Amino acid sequence: MEGNGPSGFGGNILGGRDGDEAWQLPAQSRVQLALKGDMEGSLFSKHHVWLVIQPERGTSVERRYSDFVYLLDALTKRYPFRLLPSLPPKRIQLQGRYLAADDLFLERRRKGLERALTALTSHPVIKHDGLLATFLNEQTDLTLYRKAHPFDLSEESHTRTLSPSDLSKLPQDLDSRLTLLRQRIAPLVEHWTRITTTLDRLAHRRLNQSKEYEAFKESLEAAVRVEREQGAEAYKQRMVEQTEREVLATARVAGEVGETEGASARRKLETVVEEVKRHREIYVNLRDLFARQTTLGIDNVDKLRKRVETNTSKLSILRTASPRPPTFDADADRLTSLIDADQRSIDQLLRRRDFVRWCVWEEVGWAFRCTSLLSLALKGYAADETAYAKRLAEQWGALAEAVGADAAVM
């Protein structure tokens, strides 16, 4: 999108692209997930149930992980050349053990499923899909609903007809631009994976630090309680009380600092960490889109053309044969039917080729527009860290003032 996309975010790839919408996307409306109580099901097939909540609609439905798998598989069949999210794993292996019910693992799965659904409900095409609407709103068990109401999973290219205007928007050097992007995807995924890991560690380090401050506070208070036990006046000088007051003031501020650290860490995990993970997934989803284009975008046009050429040659020889064979009419009709059928298939596959190229190009544009959401996240991150630093300065400043005031009295 010329004039809209910054050069660091695909501007050189999208240069010259027409677009009516502003580059910056508004904040996305998030679909929320909550774990519904304990695991359900029989002894050998227990599973978690997730509440899928749409806050703006005030609705919720119950879904299993397998329902999410079905949704993504079905949407991949319908929209193989669209930007689709991936799901978090059903379980992970750690030191020879499979984790599927660990609290931290479930929380990460919850957030991963939230990001996937939010990506689907924000996509300009997929958000209107009837299957997605059913997943989000149908109160019936999805497996039972599918059996009673089978979904049509025909590929989008079979029902979507492109106009000459649509095709005219494709750049002449489309292949070279996409090749350039393909070359960058792997290092982009690698760098943003490292960034998300680092930011997540920083947030958890701050969360752990809040617990250390709480432990620090409790130890300081416990020490003063021991010093103030009955009978301590027999060996403790009166002036020690001044130190005790300062220790308690430090304990109080340590508790306040711990609360500030914890609140900041939790907000960071819910905001910028999630947004950076979402940003990383844009490139992961582009990588997967290109992989699907490679495997699912192939066709047999060349083979069909060769067969049409062969059958056309046979028909020409048959028509010029003298005398004509007794089966001339039947043979001519058969060859003509084969040629017509193959030509229709060629025309259909060529339209699909055009659609695949057009669709992938549209999705590249959408992917880079989605990167604009990182700008909102970073602005919020800067504001939060500024407020966090200011609050810490106020708390430690209050302690310095309290200790200094007591010292002055002495």
Side-chain angles (χ1 to χ4, degrees), residues 163-182:
S163 67
S165 175
D166 291 328
L167 294 174
S168 68
K169 295 178 181 179
L170 293 177
Q172 296 296 320
D173 59 345
L174 174 60
D175 291 337
S176 63
R177 295 192 191 197
L178 293 181
T179 298
L180 176 62
L181 178 56
R182 284 172 181 266

Side-chain angles (χ1 to χ4, degrees), residues 242 245-246 249 397-410:
Q242 176 65 30
R245 288 194 293 272
E246 293 176 353
L399 176 61
E401 184 176 348
V403 173
D406 286 342
V409 171
M410 289 180 63

Side-chain angles (χ1 to χ4, degrees), residues 22-53:
W23 175 263
Q24 179 66 60
L25 288 175
Q28 295 177 326
S29 298
R30 289 175 55 187
V31 179
Q32 298 177 1
L33 263 73
L35 195 59
K36 182 191 173 187
D38 297 328
M39 298 180 74
E40 299 183 5
S42 61
L43 179 62
F44 297 105
S45 62
K46 285 187 174 294
H47 57 268
H48 290 100
V49 175
W50 299 93
L51 289 176
V52 180
I53 305 166

Side-chain angles (χ1 to χ4, degrees), residues 233-304:
E233 63 274 5
Y235 59 82
K236 185 174 67 174
Q237 296 182 4
R238 186 178 182 83
M239 298 304 293
V240 172
E241 295 178 359
Q242 176 65 30
T243 301
E244 292 174 350
R245 288 194 293 272
E246 293 176 353
V247 170
L248 288 177
T250 302
R252 183 182 67 256
V253 169
E256 295 172 354
V257 168
E259 292 177 359
T260 299
E261 295 275 2
S264 172
R266 287 186 289 273
R267 177 163 177 78
K268 182 184 289 189
L269 287 169
E270 289 296 328
T271 55
V272 68
V273 171
E274 280 301 293
E275 281 302 313
V276 170
K277 288 181 179 180
R278 182 205 58 78
H279 186 83
R280 170 193 172 272
E281 288 168 357
I282 292 173
Y283 300 114
V284 172
N285 298 339
L286 270 176
R287 180 194 64 192
D288 295 343
L289 170 60
F290 288 142
R292 289 195 300 274
Q293 182 186 14
T294 299
T295 56
L296 303 179
I298 57 176
D299 55 53
N300 60 340
V301 168
D302 293 339
K303 181 179 178 180
L304 289 173

Side-chain angles (χ1 to χ4, degrees), residues 102-115:
D102 175 82
D103 288 343
L104 180 58
F105 172 77
L106 288 174
E107 176 61 11
R108 288 179 173 173
R109 176 192 283 183
R110 181 188 70 81
K111 291 181 176 180
L113 292 174
E114 278 190 356
R115 291 195 301 272

Side-chain angles (χ1 to χ4, degrees), residues 222-237:
V224 172
R225 283 196 299 272
V226 172
E227 291 174 357
R228 288 182 173 181
E229 288 179 351
Q230 187 174 5
E233 63 274 5
Y235 59 82
K236 185 174 67 174
Q237 296 182 4

